[in-house]
Amino acid sequence: MSSRVVRAHEPLSTEVHGETIMMDSQLGRYVNLDGVATAIWRELAEPIDVATLCDRLQARYAGDSETIRRDVLAFAAQLIENGLVRELD
């Protein structure tokens, strides 16, 4: 939760009806982010602590803090695994 994360690079992207569609040329594929994932992606434009990210989402969306934290950690892990987000020292 104390890790700081940020976008690793800027894939080509556009928002359509509150969702983000990205073309990641490094991965050679398209990625579609739903509304909540788009909100997370926006937050990752600047370095942010995972705990702060969870707190901001908790303030914005209904849901218990444990579920939000679990889901954010899982999504962040996917983004890191796919090279879209990196952890900072």
Side-chain angles (χ1 to χ4, degrees):
M1 292 300 295
S2 62
S3 295
R4 289 182 59 79
V5 291
V6 68
R7 294 178 189 174
H9 66 282
E10 294 294 325
L12 298 173
S13 66
T14 189
E15 281 192 41
V16 178
H17 304 293
E19 296 186 353
T20 298
I21 301 168
M22 296 188 290
M23 170 42 181
D24 188 338
S25 59
Q26 291 182 2
L27 295 176
R29 66 179 180 186
Y30 289 94
V31 178
N32 185 45
L33 303 178
D34 68 12
V36 175
T38 292
I40 293 170
W41 185 251
R42 284 186 201 130
E43 294 287 344
L44 294 170
E46 300 292 328
I48 188 170
D49 294 329
V50 173
T52 301
L53 175 58
C54 290
D55 290 344
R56 289 181 183 176
L57 292 171
Q58 175 93 34
R60 191 177 304 159
Y61 299 102
D64 67 275
S65 60
E66 185 57 35
T67 299
I68 289 172
R69 290 181 195 284
R70 183 186 67 236
D71 291 350
V72 167
L73 288 172
F75 182 58
Q78 274 187 307
L79 292 173
I80 290 167
E81 183 179 311
N82 286 303
L84 293 169
V85 168
R86 62 185 172 91
E87 289 184 88
L88 302 172
D89 294 329

